Amino acid sequence: MSKHQYGEIMMGPGKEFDIIRRMIHRWGGLVRNIGDDAAILDVPRGERLIVSTDISVEGVHFKREWFTPQEIGFRSAVAALSDLAAMGATPLGLLVGLTVPDRWLTELDGVAGGIGAAVMSNDTVIVGGDTTRGEVLTLAITVLGHTRAPLRRTAAVPGDRVYVTGKLGGPLTALRALEKGETPSKEARERLATPMSRVGEGRWLLEHGARAAIDISDGLVADACHLAAASDARIDLDLDQLPLISGASALDAAQSGEEYELLVVSTRKLDEKAFYERWYTELTEIGMVAAVGNPSVVAYLHGERVDIGGGFDHFAPNRLPAEG
Ligand SMILES: [Mg+2]
């Protein structure tokens, strides 16, 4: 790490210096392209630069007592990388912005280790960042990626098939248990604490004909609504088809947020078997794009129309996880 990257912080004594040194030590070879005031990255010729930022705040997005420091770092990086997955992009690197309260200093190696694990499992690197002291642990992670023809939310047209990756319901099932002071099942807790970003899967889906996608951060139906709005289309979902983790109902799966699975739209039929053989993850057809105009999502369960609320809304008064 160069002096330039972190300016005066690097030169002066004090906690910030220690924080940065410790994180860089922890990340080792995962730190790349650092040595100037800003990172310099090559984008393959003819490809687009894809950029996204995701912020995780203690007490808003996670409760300290529910996760290990590693898990907090891991899921924050996954949340950011998942947005590249939804675009079908290949990661170029991450910028890690941290606000660290004094009470978190002893746990910082764990947080950095979790970020590093997510970075490594997505075959990418850390290319910069910034650190400051503050009242609440905040992780602001910016991801950079590239692709020739990104998956957009706007591209769904009537007749398209709708698919979802993985099995749904885990995060909501786990959160519900945690809020009651109970221990969630191992499977549900893993889906909440260490979700996977489907970066390779997103690229595969793009290469095999998918035309639009969104990652499930607010909940399947809520995110389908975002896609429907962007494409000015109506999307019909058959909740009986939803792939479920054990212990989750179809309604849970329809509303569970922070899944980081991909909701994908394709004109062509996608090969679920080939997808599974490549990624050991389910790809399931769950609905279709029904009509243009009047953008909406219509969900059916046991053949009957069901009304599903919006899912996770950061600005709703009863947001989940509860404020800390
Ligand atoms: Mg997203």
Side-chain angles (χ1 to χ4, degrees):
M1 178 71 64
S2 82
K3 283 187 275 194
H4 303 291
Q5 184 68 16
Y6 289 108
E8 297 87 332
I9 294 172
M10 234 9 217
M11 297 175 194
K15 283 175 179 164
E16 288 88 349
F17 175 82
D18 294 338
I19 289 172
I20 293 164
R21 265 233 318 236
R22 272 166 59 191
M23 288 196 302
I24 290 166
H25 177 73
R26 179 87 201 198
W27 287 331
L30 291 174
V31 175
R32 204 80 55 80
N33 296 323
I34 287 175
D36 282 294
D37 294 281
I40 305 168
L41 302 168
D42 292 323
V43 177
R45 195 181 177 84
E47 303 228 336
R48 317 284 294 276
L49 179 65
I50 312 294
V51 184
S52 179
T53 292
D54 196 275
I55 301 177
S56 298
V57 181
E58 179 184 5
V60 176
H61 300 91
F62 60 88
K63 278 189 173 184
R64 184 177 187 172
E65 59 268 32
W66 288 352
F67 303 108
T68 66
Q70 285 87 348
E71 288 166 348
I72 288 166
F74 186 87
R75 64 202 298 280
S76 299
V78 161
L81 285 159
S82 178
D83 283 324
L84 289 186
M87 303 293 287
T90 301
L92 284 166
L94 276 80
L95 300 154
V96 178
L98 288 180
T99 302
V100 186
D102 285 346
R103 66 181 183 283
W104 272 93
L105 286 174
T106 54
E107 309 288 2
L108 204 64
D109 289 345
V111 175
I115 294 169
V119 166
M120 196 185 296
S121 67
N122 284 279
D123 201 20
T124 186
V125 289
I126 295 159
V127 297
D130 195 17
T131 303
T132 177
R133 292 171 76 179
E135 292 302 307
V136 178
L137 182 70
T138 303
L139 301 92
I141 299 188
T142 300
V143 286
L144 306 154
H146 65 88
T147 185
R148 186 171 297 270
L151 293 168
R152 307 282 309 272
R153 294 181 183 182
T154 50
V157 295
D160 283 355
R161 298 160 188 264
V162 178
Y163 295 85
V164 71
T165 63
K167 290 182 181 176
L168 304 178
L172 180 60
T173 307
L175 273 175
R176 213 180 263 148
L178 288 168
E179 293 211 312
K180 282 192 266 178
E182 296 168 1
T183 305
S185 74
K186 184 167 179 286
E187 184 185 15
R189 190 179 182 286
E190 273 178 15
R191 290 287 307 138
L192 177 68
T194 53
M196 291 293 132
S197 41
R198 304 296 187 192
V199 166
E201 291 89 334
R203 204 163 46 216
W204 188 99
L205 291 161
L206 172 59
E207 286 164 3
H208 288 78
R211 53 189 298 150
I214 187 168
D215 67 319
I216 301 176
S217 52
D218 296 341
L220 172 73
V221 168
D223 287 308
C225 284
H226 298 320
L227 209 154
S231 290
D232 190 29
R234 194 187 93 214
I235 295 175
D236 289 352
L237 296 178
D238 181 359
L239 302 187
D240 292 303
Q241 303 304 317
L242 295 187
L244 309 175
I245 71 143
S246 59
S249 70
L251 286 177
D252 293 341
Q255 298 172 86
S256 177
E258 300 180 351
E259 294 274 355
Y260 305 117
E261 298 295 348
L262 299 179
L263 178 66
V264 181
V265 168
S266 178
T267 304
R268 256 195 266 165
K269 181 162 174 50
L270 298 173
D271 188 339
E272 292 104 326
K273 188 162 170 286
F275 183 87
Y276 187 84
E277 283 167 0
R278 175 65 184 85
W279 303 105
Y280 298 108
T281 299
E282 295 75 11
L283 179 68
T284 311
E285 189 171 346
I286 59 165
M288 66 178 297
V289 181
V292 287
N294 188 22
S296 55
V297 172
V298 180
Y300 294 90
L301 185 63
H302 311 320
E304 294 201 9
R305 203 170 153 157
V306 287
D307 187 23
I308 304 267
F312 187 96
D313 180 348
H314 295 275
F315 297 101
N318 59 342
R319 64 186 190 263
L320 281 176
E323 46 277 294

